[in-house]
Amino acid sequence: MNDAVTTVRAACPHDCPDTCAIRVTVQNGRAIRVQGDPDHPPTHGALCTKVSRYPERTYHPGRVLHPLRRTGPKGSGQFERVGWDEALSDIAARLKAIAARDPQAVVPYSYAGTMGLLQGESMDRRFFHKLGASLLDRTICASAGGEALTATYGGKIGMHVEHFAESKLIVIWGSNSIASNLHFWTFAQAAKRNGAKLVCIDPRRTETADKCHQHIALLPGTDGALALALMHELVVNDWLDHDYIERHTEGWPKLRERALQWPPERAAEVCGITAEEIRGLARDYGNTSPAAIRLNYGMQRVRGGGNAVRLVAILPCLVGAWRHRAGGLLLSSSGWFPVDRAALQRPDLIGSRKPRTINMSTIGDDLLRESSAEFGPKIEALVVYNSNPVAVAPESPKVVKGFARDDLFTVVLEQFMTDTADHADYVLPATTQLEHLDVHLSYGHSYALINEPAIAPVGEARPNTSVFRELAQRMGFDEPCFRDSDEDMARVAFAKDVSLDALRANGWVKLPLGEAPLANGGFRTPSGKCVIDSPEFGVPDHVPNYESPQGELAERFPLAMISPPARNFLNSSFVNVQSLRDIEGEPVLEMHEADALARGIAHGQPVRVFNDRGEYVCKALLSARARPGVVNGLGIWWRKLGVNGTNVNEVTHQRLTDIGRAPSFYDCLVEVAPLSAVAT
Ligand code: SF4
């Protein structure tokens, strides 16, 4: 037996802006330890609690080790073991038969279960493009903010995260950084030690808010109103960088007029905060340099999320914050990476066909739709990978009903028996990050990374790329691209600046960007300027929530609910890791004491969280983390590990954001009652 200890370079694949560089220690073919790589500048050797337990997840007794075929009713979790050859041949035959009627009846469903370019968006896309399957609009998390940022800056681009350490004012807007952006938080703390002021804007008093100098607990979905009022103050006090505005923005005069209609008193009423809080923040923002904003995706999960992101993204241009490398804004840095998606995904394989597009955020409705001229064919087959829609898609009563359809053929590539895998006809065992090759961009820093396989696949698990390569062969797809190896695809993943050889040599490659990349304009828009009056979206405005505490619906459902991630989970990943679940305990709803007392709810009592869409059972925590009028349903529990087989998406809805066609999870009114009370 070879008992030599080796260290392998890896990258964290999870949906987190940090994309940590990892070193995996392997002994006797077994991964015994994962550690952060201390040489990687933006993540410098620290992993979060979740991923530092990766061996526990990799060798988890619940890993799917063999292909499985359903034997019981959908959702029952009853399966039998089958061989790969039998499973793949049957799947290919079933897909072929459906595609012969209409390939659009086949729908892929994937998201960021891995952020890797190979296992997430390469051979799978080639396969579905060649098949002519429906396209998938991947909107579930970030498309409102992403498209808003692109409309404004021309791409998902922003500051280098390292430079936050030099900022003098940091506004953390819609982000619980300690839980979900740990390495940014390290830089923010360094700034704090150097005298910077930290302000947190979040409806929830998060662990991050606890550690900032100021917390502005606005109502969900009112960020646009706050940004407009900040602009009002910048204008009336002339805290503006006229030269930067003149040279590097277009459309400001119209927005200036709109901002003047938003004095702090008006915004304060909408946001549920005081006018003095707004004035104070504007004073700080207009008079501190360098000032930086760490915007995150929490605040764009409401009807007006896209407009709100555009408004916030314009602020650094108004004060010229971009002139300094420690000023500006970071929502996402992914647009800096020269990913060659045409080479990876081969959209040319679609040819002259024009497949319809299914929005992943409305899968609940779409699985229940019949064929029609408007919709196209009824969905007959779903192939799910890197995602757990039964737990994470909004309005889960409809999602579950759709996945339970007997006439739906469902294939799930998974590491574990998730809520979604329970509804599959076939479950195919997927490798974890320690078992396959991948290359990565980041949306929180500017380093590309490699992930080398550290161990052989556990059980009979296979990489996603291998599964789609095999399926392509069985479908008779004979283009040479279906024979590309993972290494072949890794070589073409980045169009320039990042070679596989350089990644292999160093573990990562820093993109050749300027230190203050927007100091002299250079936005990626056609004009090179920050676009304020967009040809597509006009001048940004505050867009009220679908479900507003001021509206009629609030008479029956008066509490606004947000559903941010529990600290030890990452979307629905890690919920099945016992040691992490033990820390979280059980599904909880944070409530302000006044809201709980008004409903006769005691701390720790089981409650029903409900509206017209459904009912979620969990435990009430009376907590200062919740502001009056807002409850925090921490997610995202697997339904089968929650109470009564429900999770927080039982009550969320499928209406979409103003920009980016994204779900508005945090735009949701509910009522809460002790579990024993009868529904009204
Ligand atoms: S989840 Fe984020 S912080 Fe944790 S290891 Fe992965 S990239 Fe790093």
Side-chain angles (χ1 to χ4, degrees):
M1 181 182 287
N2 175 16
D3 60 359
V5 174
T6 55
T7 305
V8 180
R9 289 184 186 281
C12 176
H14 289 286
D15 188 0
C16 168
D18 296 29
T19 318
C20 288
I22 294 177
R23 290 183 183 173
V24 185
T25 308
V26 180
Q27 186 173 30
N28 296 332
R30 193 175 170 88
I32 56 171
R33 192 164 52 240
V34 298
Q35 293 168 293
D37 187 333
D39 298 333
H40 183 227
T43 61
H44 45 75
L47 299 179
C48 64
T49 318
K50 298 173 280 250
V51 172
S52 58
R53 302 180 186 208
Y54 224 69
E56 184 184 344
R57 188 171 186 272
T58 303
Y59 299 112
H60 190 289
R63 275 291 296 273
V64 179
L65 298 176
H66 315 282
L68 299 171
R69 183 167 51 206
R70 183 168 63 87
T71 54
K74 290 198 172 185
S76 68
Q78 294 167 35
F79 292 88
E80 63 181 355
R81 179 176 172 179
V82 290
W84 268 107
D85 195 49
E86 186 183 354
L88 290 172
S89 296
D90 192 30
I91 292 166
R94 300 279 297 265
L95 295 181
K96 222 185 235 180
I98 294 168
R101 292 192 290 279
D102 189 335
Q104 298 176 99
V106 178
V107 176
Y109 198 101
S110 72
Y111 198 66
T114 171
M115 299 285 292
L117 294 173
L118 304 186
Q119 306 307 331
E121 47 180 309
S122 65
M123 196 58 80
D124 53 311
R125 309 295 172 100
R126 295 178 183 186
F127 176 83
F128 292 112
H129 288 154
K130 172 68 183 170
L131 183 66
S134 290
L135 301 171
L136 184 70
D137 201 3
R138 291 176 168 83
T139 57
I140 197 107
C141 176
S143 60
E147 291 194 16
L149 201 66
T150 301
T152 313
Y153 293 172
K156 292 196 263 182
I157 55 177
M159 291 171 60
H160 293 278
V161 68
E162 299 93 314
H163 297 334
F164 277 89
E166 300 161 18
S167 305
K168 289 296 173 209
L169 172 69
I170 301 179
V171 181
I172 302 173
W173 200 320
S175 170
N176 184 5
S177 310
I178 290 178
S180 59
N181 193 189
L182 188 62
H183 299 89
F184 154 75
W185 179 247
T186 308
F187 295 119
Q189 277 183 305
K192 191 179 175 190
R193 284 193 295 275
N194 287 333
K197 180 171 182 180
L198 270 52
V199 181
C200 179
I201 300 175
D202 198 315
R204 178 171 183 250
R205 186 165 183 91
T206 59
E207 297 87 345
T208 307
D210 285 342
K211 299 253 171 14
C212 288
H213 297 95
Q214 187 184 2
H215 174 213
I216 298 178
L218 77 185
L219 288 166
T222 63
D223 305 78
L226 174 57
L228 281 163
L230 293 176
M231 288 179 192
H232 177 278
E233 292 300 285
L234 297 179
V235 171
V236 300
N237 293 292
D238 198 21
W239 294 324
L240 296 169
D241 184 332
H242 295 282
D243 178 61
Y244 196 94
I245 294 171
E246 176 67 28
R247 291 202 290 148
H248 303 309
T249 71
E250 55 186 33
W252 167 238
K254 282 192 193 166
L255 180 58
R256 183 181 181 282
E257 289 311 304
R258 176 162 290 161
L260 286 172
Q261 295 159 25
W262 280 91
E265 284 71 17
R266 179 182 174 194
E269 198 169 322
V270 171
C271 300
I273 56 178
T274 66
E276 195 37 53
E277 284 175 285
I278 298 173
R279 286 205 173 83
L281 178 59
R283 199 179 308 119
D284 286 342
Y285 192 66
N287 295 285
T288 311
S289 180
I293 299 174
R294 182 58 172 102
L295 187 62
N296 210 353
Y297 288 110
M299 50 77 77
Q300 45 105 69
R301 296 195 174 117
V302 293
R303 179 187 182 193
N307 268 272
V309 166
R310 290 187 64 212
L311 286 164
V312 176
I314 290 163
L315 285 169
C317 300
L318 302 184
V319 298
W322 288 113
R323 292 183 188 279
H324 196 293
R325 73 178 194 170
L329 174 140
L330 178 61
L331 169 62
S332 172
S333 58
S334 65
W336 291 127
F337 290 82
V339 178
D340 190 344
R341 292 200 159 84
L344 274 175
Q345 304 183 4
R346 298 292 307 272
D348 57 295
L349 292 166
I350 297 174
S352 58
R353 298 168 295 181
K354 297 212 175 338
R356 67 166 170 201
T357 299
I358 296 289
N359 187 333
M360 69 189 312
S361 303
T362 56
I363 193 68
D365 278 340
D366 290 342
L367 281 176
L368 299 176
R369 291 172 77 164
E370 297 295 329
S371 302
S372 69
E374 180 211 1
F375 181 59
K378 183 174 182 172
I379 297 174
E380 291 186 58
L382 262 183
V383 182
V384 183
Y385 52 105
N386 303 338
S387 187
N388 181 12
V390 171
V392 306
E395 203 172 355
S396 44
K398 288 186 177 172
V399 181
V400 173
K401 195 169 170 196
F403 269 84
R405 270 177 42 199
D406 275 330
D407 61 345
L408 179 72
F409 178 60
T410 306
V411 179
V412 176
L413 283 61
E414 248 306 346
Q415 298 159 352
F416 300 103
M417 290 306 295
T418 60
D419 293 326
T420 305
D422 282 346
H423 290 79
D425 292 281
Y426 279 101
V427 183
L428 303 178
T431 44
T432 68
Q433 185 78 340
L434 302 191
E435 302 154 54
H436 56 228
L437 175 70
D438 221 326
V439 290
H440 287 257
L441 53 70
S442 165
Y443 64 97
H445 60 66
S446 34
Y447 292 73
L449 296 98
I450 190 164
N451 180 79
E452 300 274 16
I455 57 171
V458 173
E460 294 181 9
R462 292 186 183 177
N464 292 346
T465 44
S466 159
V467 173
F468 286 105
R469 204 179 279 120
E470 291 270 340
L471 280 174
Q473 193 191 344
R474 283 169 171 77
M475 300 288 284
F477 299 166
D478 57 6
E479 284 80 358
C481 70
F482 290 108
R483 293 190 289 279
D484 281 354
S485 67
D486 287 9
E487 181 164 330
D488 293 336
M489 292 191 289
R491 287 201 185 282
V492 301
F494 295 101
K496 58 185 171 86
D497 302 330
V498 184
S499 74
L500 181 62
D501 295 337
L503 286 172
R504 284 215 152 122
N506 304 311
W508 60 82
V509 172
K510 186 179 194 312
L511 297 181
L513 298 173
E515 289 291 283
L518 301 174
N520 297 304
F523 292 89
R524 295 198 164 179
T525 55
S527 63
K529 296 184 176 187
C530 168
V531 172
I532 294 173
D533 186 3
S534 147
E536 194 176 356
F537 304 115
V539 177
D541 201 353
H542 168 58
V543 179
N545 278 2
Y546 287 114
E547 300 195 350
S548 161
Q550 279 90 36
E552 250 177 50
L553 191 65
E555 288 170 20
R556 288 190 297 134
F557 305 116
L559 296 169
M561 187 191 79
I562 58 171
S563 42
R567 184 169 177 176
N568 291 286
F569 302 154
L570 202 159
N571 301 324
S572 75
S573 298
F574 299 101
V575 180
N576 61 323
V577 176
Q578 187 69 46
S579 61
L580 295 171
R581 197 161 75 247
D582 287 347
I583 302 172
E584 290 300 330
E586 58 191 307
V588 297
L589 184 84
E590 295 171 347
M591 295 188 82
H592 189 270
E593 192 179 17
D595 290 327
L597 289 178
R599 291 163 176 79
I601 294 168
H603 184 71
Q605 186 170 1
V607 290
R608 301 164 44 235
V609 184
F610 62 95
N611 55 25
D612 286 336
R613 292 178 287 273
E615 173 178 307
Y616 168 49
V617 179
C618 60
K619 190 166 91 174
L621 285 190
L622 276 56
S623 168
R625 298 214 180 281
R627 57 155 288 160
V630 180
V631 291
N632 311 320
L634 303 187
I636 300 174
W637 282 76
W638 290 12
R639 292 165 59 85
K640 62 183 173 184
L641 297 176
V643 185
N644 289 3
T646 60
N647 77 7
V648 72
N649 281 318
E650 207 74 16
V651 292
T652 55
H653 60 71
Q654 299 179 68
R655 276 169 288 183
L656 303 176
T657 52
D658 52 350
I659 295 172
R661 309 160 308 285
S664 38
F665 289 110
Y666 297 2
D667 180 342
C668 176
L669 289 181
V670 298
E671 181 53 293
V672 184
L675 187 55
S676 52
V678 177
T680 51

